[in-house]
Amino acid sequence: MPATRHEPFDLRYTQNFLKSRRLVERLLDRSGIGPEDVVLEIGPGRGRVTACLAGRCRRVIAVELDGALAARLRRTFAGQPRVAVHHGDALTFPLPDGPYKVFASIPFHVTTAIVTRLTGAPNPPQDAYLVMQREAAERFCGVPAGSLYSVLLKPWFEPQVVHRFARADFDPAPNVDVVMLRLRQREPPLVAPSQAQRYRDFVVHCFGGGPVARRLRLGPLGRRGARRLLARLGIDAHAGPAALRFEQWLELFRRTEEAAGPDGWRAVAGAERRLRRLQAGLQRPRRAPSGARRHAGGPPRR
C-alpha cells in the first residue's frame, strides 16, 4: 500500500448519516449478517446503524475517528455489552483476529483507503457492506469499463452493488449518487496464493500504458508470443486494458503463465511495488480546514 500522508480536514464535509432506522433494518434483512457474527462498523457517527446491528449480531466493534462522537456513542451504548466503541482511525485500528464482517457508511474521502485496508489485510472480512459514492463502487466492480482496481480485487472478492440510495436518505444530503457495495470473499480464491504476487505484477504491468499487446511484448511473451496468444483468446491486438473483461484477464494470466519463460517474467516482477512507490511520490498534502486527519490509498491489495 502506498505511504499514507495525514493532513487536517473537517469531518463535517465528509460524513453523511443515514436518517432512517427502517431503511437500515431493511438493508440488514437483505444482508448475510446473522446472530453469530462479529461485525466491524467504520465511522458509526450518531449510532443509528450501530443500534440496528446490536440487535442482530453477536458483537459490534464500532470505530469512530471523531472524539466527540465516540464519547457520545460510549454513553449511548454503555448498557449494551454487545457493543464496543473505540475512538480510533479505521486505517490503523487492529482488525479482528477471528472471522468477522463489515457493515458501514464510510466517509467518502477515504473509500479507496478503507477498501485497500480491508481487502489487503492478513485476515480480511468474510463479507463487507459499504456505503460509498457510486463512481467508486463502479470502479471496484469494473463497470462500465474495466479498471486496475477491479482486476486486482476480483480474484479474492466478488463486488456487487446491492442497493442504490436516494440523496434524501442522508443527513446532510450528499451532492453525489450513493450506493451500497457488497464485497464477498471468494472461497476458494480464483488465483492460488502461490501465484498472487505474480498475478498482481502481471496486471499492473499490463495497465502500464498503451494496448495490452504492447505490454505483453515488452514483458513476458515477446512480439510473436503476444500476437499468438491474443489471437487464440479472441482479444483485439489494439485493445487497451479497460476493454478486457475480468474473465479474459484470468485466462490471459493463466496462458501467459504456461507460455512465458523466466526472462519474460523478470521484466514483470516488481511492477506493483514500483507503482506504489510512484503513487506515494505523487501524493502531496493539500491545505484544508482543521479538524481531524485525511488519508490516501491505493489499489486493493492481497
Side-chain angles (χ1 to χ4, degrees):
M1 180 174 175
T4 300
R5 296 180 183 271
H6 300 286
E7 61 178 291
F9 79 106
D10 193 325
L11 283 168
R12 292 173 300 174
Y13 298 124
T14 60
Q15 289 187 303
N16 302 88
F17 301 107
L18 284 166
K19 295 192 297 186
S20 169
R21 176 164 183 153
R22 181 177 299 178
L23 173 58
V24 176
E25 296 284 10
R26 200 159 62 238
L27 293 170
L28 286 169
D29 285 341
R30 293 158 47 194
S31 77
I33 292 174
E36 297 303 315
D37 288 323
V38 173
V39 179
L40 172 66
E41 185 189 3
I42 297 167
R46 300 167 184 170
R48 181 163 285 116
V49 173
T50 316
C52 296
L53 287 169
R56 290 176 176 259
C57 59
R58 180 162 58 90
R59 187 180 177 213
V60 183
I61 303 170
V63 182
E64 175 56 56
L65 181 62
D66 185 289
L69 287 174
R72 175 179 168 182
L73 288 166
R74 285 199 182 104
R75 292 193 297 270
T76 300
F77 296 102
Q80 299 193 35
R82 292 184 180 183
V83 179
V85 177
H86 300 271
H87 175 211
D89 185 343
L91 296 179
T92 57
F93 184 83
L95 297 174
D97 294 327
Y100 69 101
K101 298 178 181 179
V102 178
F103 192 98
S105 179
I106 57 179
F108 296 160
H109 78 288
V110 288
T111 296
T112 298
I114 287 173
V115 172
T116 299
R117 172 110 200 274
L118 293 174
T119 59
N123 183 36
Q126 298 172 313
D127 214 351
Y129 298 83
L130 301 173
V131 177
M132 64 178 65
Q133 190 173 339
R134 176 178 57 82
E135 287 82 357
E138 289 176 346
R139 189 168 71 249
F140 293 123
C141 291
V143 293
S147 71
L148 177 60
Y149 285 86
S150 66
V151 181
L152 290 176
L153 177 70
K154 286 184 175 181
W156 295 277
F157 288 86
E158 182 181 358
Q160 179 187 10
V161 172
V162 294
H163 186 79
R164 299 181 185 275
F165 295 95
R167 297 187 183 186
D169 290 334
F170 297 90
D171 179 27
N175 59 3
V176 295
D177 294 331
V178 182
V179 302
M180 173 167 278
L181 180 72
R182 182 182 187 183
L183 293 171
R184 180 167 54 182
Q185 188 176 168
R186 297 186 191 270
E187 289 293 348
L190 301 180
V191 173
S194 61
Q195 295 180 303
Q197 189 57 58
R198 178 170 283 190
Y199 170 84
R200 296 180 64 82
D201 284 338
F202 174 77
V203 170
V204 171
H205 173 80
C206 289
F207 268 86
V212 174
R214 177 176 180 272
R215 303 304 299 172
L216 290 174
R217 290 198 302 269
L218 295 175
L221 293 178
R223 183 181 299 274
R224 184 177 300 176
R227 186 171 60 247
R228 282 201 305 261
L229 179 55
L230 291 176
R232 193 176 304 138
L233 297 179
I235 297 173
D236 189 331
H238 301 290
L244 272 63
R245 303 187 310 276
F246 171 64
E247 295 75 17
Q248 290 178 304
W249 280 109
L250 283 180
E251 190 63 21
L252 187 61
F253 172 70
R254 288 165 180 161
R255 296 291 187 92
T256 303
E257 181 83 346
E258 295 169 358
D263 289 342
W265 282 114
R266 273 196 287 271
V268 173
E272 183 190 23
R273 183 177 65 252
R274 292 190 291 273
L275 172 65
R276 292 177 183 279
R277 286 176 178 171
L278 176 63
Q279 289 174 328
L282 291 175
Q283 291 166 2
R284 293 288 183 270
R286 293 176 295 173
R287 296 184 63 83
S290 60
R293 299 188 300 180
R294 182 171 186 152
H295 315 275
R301 173 170 176 77
R302 290 290 292 155

